Amino acid sequence: MNVSSELLIKIEQAISHYAVSKRSASLPLLHLWQEHYGWISDEAMAWIAEKLEMSPIHVLELVTFYPMFRRLPAGQRHIRVCRTLSCAMAGAYELKEAVAKVAGIDLKEWASHQHGGHGNPIAVSADGKFSVEFVECLASCGSAPVAMVGENLKENVEIAAVADLLQLSRSDATLPKLRPVHPRERRIIFKNIDREGWTTDIECYLNDGGYAELGKALKMPRASIVQEVKASGLRGRGGAGFPCGVKWGFIKQDEKKPVYLICNADESEPGTFKDRYIIHQDPHQILEGMIIACFAVGAKQGYIYVRGEFSEGAEILEKALEEARARNFLGKNILGSGFDCEIYVHRGAGAYICGEETGLIESLEGKRAYPRIKPPYFPAVLGLYQCPTVVNNVETLCNVKHIIKMGGAEYAKIGRPNNTGTRILCVSGDVAKPGYFEVEVGSVTMGELINDLCGGIKDGGALKAVIPGGSSAKVLRAGERYALKTGEIGLEDIPMDFDTLAACGSMAGSGGVIVMDQTRDMVETLNNLNTFYAHESCGQCTPCREGALWMKKITDRVLAGGGTETDPQTLRTVADGIAGKTICSFGEACSWPTQSFVDKFREEFASRSRKLVPPPMPPEYTSEELIEHETIETIEDRRTHSPLAPAATK
Ligand SMILES: Cc1cc2nc3c(=O)[nH]c(=O)nc-3n(C[C@H](O)[C@H](O)[C@H](O)COP(=O)(O)O)c2cc1C
Ligand code: SF4
Ligand code: FES
């Protein structure tokens, strides 16, 4: 194959970032190829396989696993419309229809090209100028609905202005919001976000005292940095809330194997949109935290695993890394300390499961993001390339320099005992002023967050439900009471901290708060989430792969008016059959919404589930039919001609 010299240079450079295994360069190479040629042909896969000394099947499995890779060309302008909950609540489904109409794309025609499965196929206009696709949460839920045109993000898309959207030539992603900081906020991590005159240049960061804490840390004994982080009480901001210093302490100070540090910038949990803004507006804060963390745990190599859709963010990080190298904050003998460290950016390609730390590591090794079984594959023991690895979220790592600055004990005074520091809460959905707010952990209640910081429920509506910590967190219903050790409280009295939200039966998770008003249909809401989880299951474990899809299909039919009397209980049973029975905690993440929505809004599910017998099966084969039939009809044939097809599709 004739590959341009320009592309070859980029390819060689990408491969040089992975000294241990060429295979790790497979996702970067696929991205480079697709950016250059628009799609990935069979010949391209064979070429990449040969280049990386891989078997072609291992490249094919990546192209089919990661949704961002295409085996057919898209339109000259490709539009990705986010379909997940906050965007759906803001009209994403109508938006996609409107995009298709203006772009001359016949969605019905393209829907029939989808041979089985439940993915979101790309639909292309007849003249090849445009294509449109539904994608899952783009980590910009506070400005829903959002769409990407090529690599440019458009926030708050107006359906009436879809023609302008198609011509979009610059991204909203880096635009400061120019909104005043709320008096209840305490901005430490977000100090520079939306700040007048602030830029991502290293000079700007240095003029603000940047990298001073790196200089300080490099003069400290490594073990005492870990000690300070332990003393700070900092808990991970990626979802699980695990104490950061304890995690770092798992790495032996005299470890003989190479140690790796990975910054988890995958940010894909629906409802969460904080890391994006740090990446886009304050990349050096992440790098400074990472370099200190690398020094503390003895890692000479770090990676920032950034989600594939953050291509602009990846470029900003690359530029920041170059600036840091030029100033000897990275590279050999950093600031004369004798410490060598290098950090590279690695882009994912659209799969939510890459946020799970062991799935992320597999993905960084150039494989499908199949999470690993723990034990034995705890990253601190057997992580990247089977070596000790620390994985931390962007926001967690940003806290590190502030802990070094103020000392662990002083940091621990912020927030509440066992819930220290600040937290960025991302609020989306039915509030008057959605957005991000950095507050001391537990310093505001749910009611204050919604009514004061977010200006109340929009259009004077009433609160119906809240998902408090990203889409996986169990839903809380307005009017609920929670019996805590300290007494009984209502939903609006819950302080937004890790422990109280857990005691109320949900979780603080990744800080993504999705608010729903009295007009929202809970069956539709759960169906939206179930569609997300069915799409994102990696497929390794049977309960998760099958169960997530079953939960989607059952809520599909309840929503369509075909629910049977047993459906609410079946939903509950399927969810119970997943949680706790899978390799990774995606199993819990996908069951908790169903368990909590069905339990707490049972009347809504029951009133839509009145049929005594189930409607005809979805248009798929039963195993008996597969044996009976000599030829296999296409899904399209079955949808239109099969006696079993639901009436609506005939
Ligand atoms: C399904 C799933 C998705 C996840 N997605 C993310 C993510 O997008 N970003 C993130 O930082 N952590 C995510 N996590 C949590 C990571 O596995 C890991 O706990 C985290 O990166 C550790 O960093 P922390 O200790 O700083 O929070 C996810 C976990 C699961 C089970
Ligand atoms: S629980 Fe789901 S996402 Fe996790 S490994 Fe199993 S199939 Fe994959
Ligand atoms: S950006 Fe659309 S739901 Fe998050």
Side-chain angles (χ1 to χ4, degrees):
M1 250 190 125
N2 209 359
V3 179
S4 74
S5 55
E6 182 202 345
L7 181 59
L8 273 177
I9 292 169
K10 289 184 186 169
I11 283 176
E12 294 301 339
Q13 198 189 10
I15 295 173
S16 74
H17 295 173
Y18 308 95
V20 176
S21 163
K22 272 189 175 182
R23 183 173 181 169
S24 284
S26 48
L27 258 63
L29 260 57
L30 287 166
H31 274 302
L32 285 170
W33 200 282
Q34 186 161 292
E35 275 154 27
H36 196 85
Y37 294 105
W39 60 295
I40 297 161
S41 63
D42 290 354
E43 292 74 27
M45 284 188 261
W47 189 92
I48 290 172
E50 197 180 330
K51 185 83 190 159
L52 298 179
E53 295 160 26
M54 291 165 67
S55 148
I57 190 74
H58 289 141
V59 180
L60 174 66
E61 70 184 20
L62 300 179
V63 176
T64 51
F65 181 89
Y66 291 95
M68 282 182 76
F69 296 133
R70 297 189 286 268
R71 295 181 71 192
L72 289 172
Q76 287 157 23
R77 292 210 124 194
H78 183 52
I79 298 117
R80 301 184 183 108
V81 177
C82 171
R83 162 248 51 90
T84 325
L85 187 55
S86 306
C87 284
M89 287 164 69
Y93 279 73
E94 295 80 355
L95 174 61
K96 187 184 172 199
E97 299 278 338
V99 167
K101 196 165 170 205
V102 174
I105 299 169
D106 182 351
L107 287 177
K108 281 207 182 88
E109 155 72 15
W110 281 91
S112 65
H113 287 218
Q114 185 186 6
H115 297 296
H118 51 91
N120 299 313
I122 293 176
V124 190
S125 62
D127 58 8
K129 283 194 179 149
F130 297 103
S131 51
V132 67
E133 158 187 46
F134 255 160
V135 293
E136 300 299 341
C137 179
L138 287 170
S140 199
C141 330
S143 33
V146 299
M148 285 179 78
V149 180
E151 299 307 316
N152 293 324
L153 179 86
K154 180 72 191 156
E155 303 180 325
N156 296 118
V157 184
E158 285 173 27
I159 294 185
V162 156
D164 297 340
L165 174 75
L166 297 187
Q167 303 311 323
L168 187 77
S169 59
R170 67 155 298 177
S171 173
D172 284 358
T174 40
L175 284 183
K177 297 276 174 289
L178 298 177
R179 212 177 59 192
V181 175
H182 193 279
R184 297 291 300 271
E185 285 190 74
R186 175 161 182 194
R187 288 208 174 184
I188 296 177
I189 310 301
F190 261 34
K191 185 182 78 144
N192 302 320
I193 306 299
D194 301 337
R195 190 171 148 187
E196 187 117 35
W198 184 260
T199 72
T200 56
D201 295 340
I202 196 164
E203 281 76 22
C204 185
Y205 190 70
L206 289 169
N207 288 339
D208 197 53
Y211 287 106
E213 279 71 43
L214 173 63
K216 183 177 170 186
L218 289 173
K219 294 192 185 89
M220 291 167 69
R222 286 171 41 212
S224 48
I225 301 178
V226 177
Q227 200 44 49
E228 289 301 326
V229 175
K230 275 187 187 160
S232 75
L234 173 67
R235 291 172 66 169
R237 305 304 197 229
F242 191 81
C244 182
V246 175
K247 186 184 280 190
W248 291 12
F250 292 148
I251 309 288
K252 288 186 250 158
Q253 285 283 313
D254 59 350
E255 178 61 58
K256 300 286 178 293
K257 281 182 169 180
V259 176
Y260 295 97
L261 181 113
I262 301 172
C263 171
N264 189 342
D266 195 58
E267 190 161 65
S268 323
E269 174 79 9
T272 317
F273 50 96
K274 57 191 179 68
D275 301 342
R276 165 197 278 287
Y277 294 96
I278 307 175
I279 295 166
H280 278 126
Q281 295 191 39
D282 204 1
H284 285 288
Q285 187 181 198
I286 309 174
L287 299 193
E288 188 171 4
M290 280 188 79
I291 305 165
I292 298 173
C294 283
F295 178 64
V297 300
K300 292 187 173 170
Q301 178 101 48
Y303 287 99
I304 306 174
Y305 189 106
V306 63
R307 62 178 294 183
E309 296 87 343
F310 286 2
S311 50
E312 203 180 8
E315 274 172 29
I316 291 168
L317 288 166
E318 298 274 15
K319 174 177 160 269
L321 283 167
E322 263 181 34
E323 291 175 330
R325 273 181 209 120
R327 303 265 179 165
N328 191 220
F329 297 132
L330 279 170
K332 298 266 176 228
N333 189 21
I334 296 173
L335 304 179
S337 65
F339 176 58
D340 303 341
C341 183
E342 199 40 90
I343 294 175
Y344 297 112
V345 174
H346 183 96
R347 259 176 83 198
Y352 165 70
I353 197 57
C354 294
E356 195 282 334
E357 55 188 5
T358 60
L360 182 156
I361 289 171
E362 283 282 301
S363 177
L364 190 40
E365 290 185 2
K367 302 173 196 158
R368 288 173 289 187
Y370 278 179
R372 298 173 175 174
I373 294 177
K374 303 186 218 176
Y377 293 105
F378 289 110
V381 187
L382 291 169
L384 185 62
Y385 310 128
Q386 306 298 329
C387 291
T389 303
V390 169
V391 183
N392 274 135
N393 169 258
V394 169
E395 187 188 345
T396 313
L397 287 165
C398 285
N399 273 281
V400 171
K401 68 168 272 181
H402 303 286
I403 293 170
I404 296 299
K405 186 172 186 178
M406 57 181 96
E410 211 42 43
Y411 180 97
K413 290 182 189 159
I414 306 172
R416 303 177 134 206
N418 202 37
N419 294 268
T420 60
T422 60
R423 185 105 226 237
I424 300 152
L425 299 173
C426 316
V427 190
S428 61
D430 296 325
V431 288
K433 288 186 268 180
Y436 37 70
F437 305 91
E438 182 175 358
V439 294
E440 289 195 31
V441 181
S443 68
V444 297
T445 62
M446 180 74 83
E448 288 166 339
L449 179 67
I450 295 173
N451 298 321
D452 182 3
L453 282 78
C454 296
I457 300 294
K458 73 167 196 244
D459 304 329
L463 177 67
K464 179 169 183 179
V466 190
I467 300 173
S471 64
S472 313
K474 287 189 176 175
V475 67
L476 302 173
R477 182 176 177 155
E480 272 177 356
R481 309 284 301 166
Y482 311 97
L484 305 180
K485 280 187 197 145
T486 46
E488 201 182 83
I489 60 169
L491 169 63
E492 301 204 1
D493 310 320
I494 301 175
M496 299 297 291
D497 66 46
F498 291 97
D499 294 340
T500 318
L501 279 161
C504 295
S506 189
M507 64 173 180
S510 53
V513 181
I514 309 172
V515 179
M516 283 152 281
D517 73 10
Q518 82 289 351
T519 63
R520 296 296 169 186
D521 173 342
M522 293 295 114
V523 176
E524 193 178 346
T525 304
L526 178 62
N527 183 243
N528 183 288
L529 296 178
N530 284 347
T531 304
F532 170 78
Y533 289 106
H535 187 250
E536 298 301 329
S537 166
C538 86
Q540 265 192 113
C541 324
T542 307
C544 169
R545 182 189 62 243
E546 303 300 318
L549 188 53
W550 270 102
M551 294 191 295
K552 175 201 178 292
K553 283 182 175 178
I554 297 172
T555 47
D556 272 350
R557 84 168 173 219
V558 176
L559 194 58
T564 69
E565 281 181 339
T566 51
D567 276 349
Q569 189 49 44
T570 309
L571 275 171
R572 195 44 165 109
T573 311
V574 175
D576 294 347
I578 306 171
K581 300 172 182 71
T582 56
I583 292 174
C584 85
S585 32
F586 182 105
E588 283 75 41
C590 75
S591 341
W592 286 339
T594 290
Q595 290 173 336
S596 57
F597 273 85
V598 172
D599 284 359
K600 297 188 178 190
F601 297 94
R602 193 165 276 265
E603 73 286 358
E604 278 189 47
F605 286 84
S607 66
R608 311 268 278 277
S609 307
R610 294 252 163 91
K611 293 206 160 47
L612 292 178
V613 282
M617 282 187 43
E620 285 152 19
Y621 284 89
T622 62
S623 42
E624 294 78 21
E625 283 175 306
L626 274 174
I627 297 163
E628 267 171 34
H629 291 268
E630 272 181 19
T631 53
I632 295 181
E633 296 166 327
T634 63
I635 290 281
E636 185 186 5
D637 291 338
R638 288 191 65 80
R639 285 226 167 104
T640 44
H641 307 304
S642 164
L644 284 177
T649 64
K650 279 187 190 170

